[in-house]
Structures are given as C-alpha cells and as structure tokens.
C-alpha cells in the first residue's frame, strides 16, 4: 500500500508527462453541445469546414464523371477500363461519405446541394467522346485532387490530426487511381 503511494509520488515529482485529467474533465462538461470539438481544437474550424466542403464537392463531381464514363465506355478495350471507372466511382463515393462524416463531427453541415456543385469542386466534369479521352480526363481530375489534398494536408498541419489523417488516407487512394489510369493510357 505504502509502496504504491511512493511510486505514484515519485512519478509525479520525476517531471514525467501527465495528462491534466481534472482540467480536461471540467472542460468536457462545458460547451457539451460542441460534440467532438473541444477547447483544445487548434485549427481554424470555419476554414477547415470550408476546405472539407470543397473536397466533398470534388468527390461528388468525380463520382458523377466516373459513372458517366462507366456507362458510356465503348470499344474493343472498353471492358476493363469501364470496370476500373466503376471501382473508382465507388471509392470516390466512400471518400465523400468520410468527408461528410468529419464535417458533422466538427459541428458543420455537409453541403450536398447540386446548386453550385461545380463551382465548389476543384475537379471538372468533362464527358469526353471516346475511351482515350475519358481516361485522360479522369487522370487530369485525379492529378487535381492529388495536388489539392496535398495542399490541404499542409494547411491543416498538426493543428487537426484527425482531419489530416483522413486527408492523407484519401490522398493515397487518389495516387493509386492516377497510377491505374496512366497504366491504361499506356496500353490504349
Ligand atoms: Fe476521391
Ligand atoms: Fe480518385
């Protein structure tokens, strides 16, 4: 019994890092309506929400473009390419879901309004008339997404690690998408 007390006091006096449990508990009770956003949140919440809503619009435009291309892909080599378009569409939709979920966690509202969707999106919606152009347009869109996610990761930095991790995970998938498309561009 006495030994435990000694061990506790020595770890405290040893200057080791300790979580300020009492302080955190008190703060957690205040502003309870803020949900996951606590006083320790160090990013500019409004700015992060705006970025996430732009990313959400980008993902939705990508879903629509990939779907259009999936249904319109024609030609000798169309089948595997169309299958890839369908797979990418599903993955962009899951990105949109994860981003919308994070927006809500941060106390914001996901903007899924079709009004102004293209203006909020970083990538474009180009229909393209043949398989080769479809592949090219999707590759361009992925390259836009890669650069914009990279800039968002840099902006968020270490101020909001959860959002940063989400953006980095999505960025890795966009890089895979771009890689898949450039392989098709070489073959077709
Ligand atoms: Fe995506
Ligand atoms: Fe993608």
């Amino acid at each position: 019994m006495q030994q435990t007390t000694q061990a506790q006091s020595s770890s405290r006096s040893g200057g080791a890092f300790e979580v300020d449990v009492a302080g955190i508990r008190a703060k957690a009770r205040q502003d309870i309506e803020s949900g996951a956003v606590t006083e320790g949140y160090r990013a500019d919440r409004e700015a992060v929400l705006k970025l996430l809503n732009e990313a959400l619009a980008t993902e939705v435009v990508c879903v629509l473009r990939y779907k259009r291309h999936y249904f319109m892909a024609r030609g000798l080599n169309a089948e595997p390419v169309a299958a890839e378009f369908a797979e990418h569409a599903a993955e962009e939709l899951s990105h949109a879901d994860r981003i919308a979920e994070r927006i809500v966690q941060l106390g914001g509202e996901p903007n899924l309004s079709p009004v102004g969707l293209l203006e909020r999106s970083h990538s474009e919606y180009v229909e393209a008339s043949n398989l080769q152009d479809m592949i090219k347009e999707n590759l361009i869109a992925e390259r836009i997404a890669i650069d914009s996610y990279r800039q968002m990761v840099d902006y968020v930095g270490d101020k909001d690690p959860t959002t940063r991790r989400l953006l980095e995970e999505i960025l890795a998938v966009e890089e895979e998408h771009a890689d898949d498309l450039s392989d098709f561009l070489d073959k077709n």
Side-chain angles (χ1 to χ4, degrees):
M1 213 36 198
Q2 211 186 348
Q3 267 184 334
T4 317
T5 313
Q6 270 172 354
Q8 279 174 349
S9 69
S10 73
S11 87
R12 270 180 200 144
S13 59
F17 171 75
E18 284 195 44
V19 171
D20 173 19
V21 180
I24 289 173
R25 282 180 183 165
K27 279 185 198 147
R29 285 180 185 279
Q30 293 163 7
D31 306 323
I32 198 161
E33 70 281 1
S34 300
V37 183
T38 65
E39 220 181 80
Y41 186 77
R42 284 173 291 143
D44 177 343
R45 203 177 60 98
E46 290 305 321
V48 171
L49 286 173
K50 184 176 176 288
L51 283 182
L52 288 176
N53 262 316
E54 286 173 17
L56 178 61
T58 303
E59 295 292 353
V60 172
V61 167
C62 288
V63 172
L64 297 173
R65 196 192 51 256
Y66 273 125
K67 281 285 183 191
R68 158 82 189 194
H69 291 179
Y70 163 69
F71 286 111
M72 292 300 288
R74 298 279 185 280
L76 217 53
N77 306 314
E79 222 175 286
V81 179
E84 197 70 37
F85 290 165
E87 197 185 300
H88 288 196
E91 284 169 345
E92 310 304 11
L93 184 58
S94 87
H95 296 165
D97 285 345
R98 294 182 66 192
I99 293 165
E101 198 174 37
R102 184 63 185 153
I103 290 171
V104 174
Q105 275 179 356
L106 290 173
E109 293 180 14
N111 187 350
L112 285 163
S113 171
V115 178
L117 181 68
L118 267 179
E119 285 70 42
R120 297 194 301 278
S121 166
H122 298 160
S123 60
E124 295 158 300
Y125 180 89
V126 179
E127 291 181 340
S129 54
N130 59 62
L131 198 60
Q132 187 78 4
D133 286 349
M134 288 177 187
I135 299 169
K136 265 188 209 154
E137 283 304 326
N138 288 316
L139 179 55
I140 291 166
E142 294 292 351
R143 288 167 57 85
I144 292 170
I146 288 168
D147 266 349
S148 64
Y149 279 117
R150 218 174 258 150
Q151 283 186 20
M152 285 185 229
V153 166
D154 285 346
Y155 170 76
V156 172
D158 57 1
K159 294 193 290 286
D160 177 347
T162 309
T163 297
R164 184 194 164 127
R165 205 175 316 124
L166 170 66
L167 296 171
E168 282 174 339
E169 283 168 14
I170 295 176
L171 170 61
V173 177
E174 309 304 7
E175 285 176 343
E176 280 172 31
H177 288 173
D179 199 41
D180 296 339
L181 293 165
S182 38
D183 284 349
F184 278 128
L185 213 51
D186 294 340
K187 282 184 218 145
N188 283 275

